[in-house]
Amino acid sequence: MSTHQNKMTNVNNEQDTNAMVEKQIANNIIELLNNRAQQLTAPEKQRLAAARSLAVNQLTSLQTQAIGHHGINQSGSVLQWLGHHVGEYFGHHKRVSAVLMIGAVLLTFFAVQQFGFNHHLENSDAFLLASDLPPEAYADKGFNAWLGSN
Amino acid sequence: MVRIQLRLTGAILLLALFFSGLAMADEANAVWAQLTDEQQQVLKPLASEWDTLRPWQREKMLDIARDYPKMNANKQELVKKRLSNWSRMTPYERENARKRHQQFQSLPADKKVELRKKWQEYQKLPESERARLRAESPDTYTDADLN
């Protein structure tokens, strides 16, 4: 084994030892915290809950600011970004949004009318007159009775 | 702002509905001379009796004139040929015809062909026999249905 390889092995062993020591310290801290947590008084628990709530609120406000400045938040919510910008656009262009809204309502109105018109067309008297059978055939009660008896 | 937009849109829709209703009511009261050339051309078989028709009858006939251009030449010919008889039918007969026409439309093609043949057979019956059958058949609609 060369001198260089020996040095590398020593460095690796030292790193492993440090990691093990750190892990041991962390375990000790966890153990201590767990033991101490069971002995917490009510006021201490209340203060901890308040501190946690404060930290969460601060994080939420930071994330909201990040969406405003960078477009996409940390979780990459593109839809949220798009909704925010579209909302901002309509907020700034109120006339355009008013015209678009009226246009959409009128379009829906005429589409509904057209649908009703087409439905009416199928049942209109004009199509009855142009039917395979003359209107007398449909209106003749005798024909209907004769069909029933045959 | 959104509230103003909604009110504005509602007002526009109400105006549109109001004016379309007004136009329809005006048309139903029009005498023969007030009809357009296109309407007169379609409704020509009814020219002599147009001014005696009730507004609701005129409205139905004007509906026919409106749908007429959407048909092919053969169907247009049939409409013109059958229009006079149609206008002379009673409300009972017309309502019966509309109901039966709807039923006929929903039949399969082979049943329609069969029914056409049956109609031809029925017409070959003596008039007295057909009159007897008509007299023995009760009215499908009551007065209340037609009001």
Side-chain angles (χ1 to χ4, degrees):
Chain A
M1 194 181 279
S2 68
T3 317
H4 178 71
Q5 279 176 327
N6 279 335
K7 277 182 184 175
M8 286 297 290
T9 313
N10 287 338
V11 169
N12 283 341
N13 285 340
E14 199 176 336
Q15 280 177 347
D16 287 347
T17 312
N18 285 341
M20 280 176 68
V21 170
E22 279 176 9
K23 197 177 175 185
Q24 187 57 47
I25 292 169
N27 283 338
N28 288 341
I29 291 170
I30 291 167
E31 202 175 334
L32 274 171
L33 283 172
N34 282 341
N35 288 337
R36 181 81 182 100
Q38 285 165 6
Q39 295 160 12
L40 285 175
T41 60
E44 283 172 335
K45 282 180 184 173
Q46 208 170 3
R47 276 168 55 204
L48 277 171
R52 184 187 175 278
S53 173
L54 191 69
V56 169
N57 286 343
Q58 278 180 352
L59 186 67
T60 312
S61 66
L62 279 173
Q63 280 183 340
T64 312
Q65 281 174 5
I67 294 166
H69 288 115
H70 305 298
I72 300 174
N73 70 0
Q74 286 175 344
S75 60
S77 174
V78 177
L79 281 177
Q80 220 173 3
W81 173 83
L82 193 67
H84 174 76
H85 280 262
V86 170
E88 198 176 20
Y89 175 83
F90 283 114
H92 290 159
H93 301 83
K94 284 176 180 168
R95 278 187 190 170
V96 177
S97 63
V99 169
L100 279 177
M101 196 172 164
I102 291 168
V105 170
L106 284 176
L107 198 69
T108 312
F109 175 71
F110 288 119
V112 168
Q113 270 207 330
Q114 189 62 28
F115 174 76
F117 175 73
N118 284 337
H119 180 71
H120 164 80
L121 195 64
E122 286 166 13
N123 298 315
S124 85
D125 287 352
F127 282 81
L128 187 154
L129 292 182
S131 173
D132 292 341
L133 288 173
E136 298 84 44
Y138 299 118
D140 196 325
K141 294 183 295 173
F143 178 48
N144 204 36
W146 180 76
L147 278 177
S149 64
N150 281 276
Chain B
M1 183 66 188
V2 174
R3 201 176 286 179
I4 294 170
Q5 283 175 14
L6 285 173
R7 281 182 186 171
L8 189 66
T9 312
I12 291 171
L13 281 177
L14 278 176
L15 277 175
L17 280 171
F18 175 73
F19 283 115
S20 62
L22 214 62
M24 280 168 71
D26 267 1
E27 243 191 352
N29 287 319
V31 293
W32 180 257
Q34 289 172 317
L35 298 184
T36 64
D37 288 345
E38 290 79 18
Q39 287 171 330
Q40 284 188 352
Q41 206 175 348
V42 178
L43 302 171
K44 206 173 178 178
L46 306 174
S48 59
E49 57 191 294
W50 179 264
D51 292 347
T52 65
L53 295 178
R54 302 271 178 83
W56 56 268
Q57 286 176 311
R58 292 183 197 181
E59 201 180 322
K60 287 279 182 192
M61 297 304 159
L62 286 169
D63 282 348
I64 293 173
R66 187 201 59 214
D67 295 336
Y68 183 84
K70 299 176 190 95
M71 299 171 159
N72 62 36
N74 289 340
K75 289 200 179 283
Q76 285 180 346
E77 197 55 43
L78 280 173
V79 171
K80 276 191 172 178
K81 199 170 132 187
R82 293 168 175 175
L83 196 60
S84 294
N85 274 347
W86 178 248
S87 75
R88 287 188 189 101
M89 280 185 183
T90 65
Y92 288 100
E93 288 172 325
R94 276 202 284 262
E95 203 52 48
N96 259 330
R98 288 186 191 110
K99 193 190 169 198
R100 301 269 171 241
H101 176 245
Q102 278 181 7
Q103 289 171 345
F104 179 77
Q105 290 294 92
S106 60
L107 290 175
D110 57 328
K111 289 277 175 193
K112 285 181 181 174
V113 173
E114 195 184 325
L115 213 56
R116 278 199 295 270
K117 281 181 190 164
K118 290 278 183 191
W119 171 245
Q120 282 162 3
E121 274 180 47
Y122 174 77
Q123 284 184 303
K124 284 174 190 163
L125 293 178
E127 176 52 37
S128 56
E129 176 66 9
R130 282 187 279 162
R132 187 189 61 79
L133 283 165
R134 276 195 288 271
E136 285 173 2
S137 308
D139 282 329
T140 311
Y141 289 89
T142 63
D143 284 337
D145 292 324
L146 299 167
N147 287 331

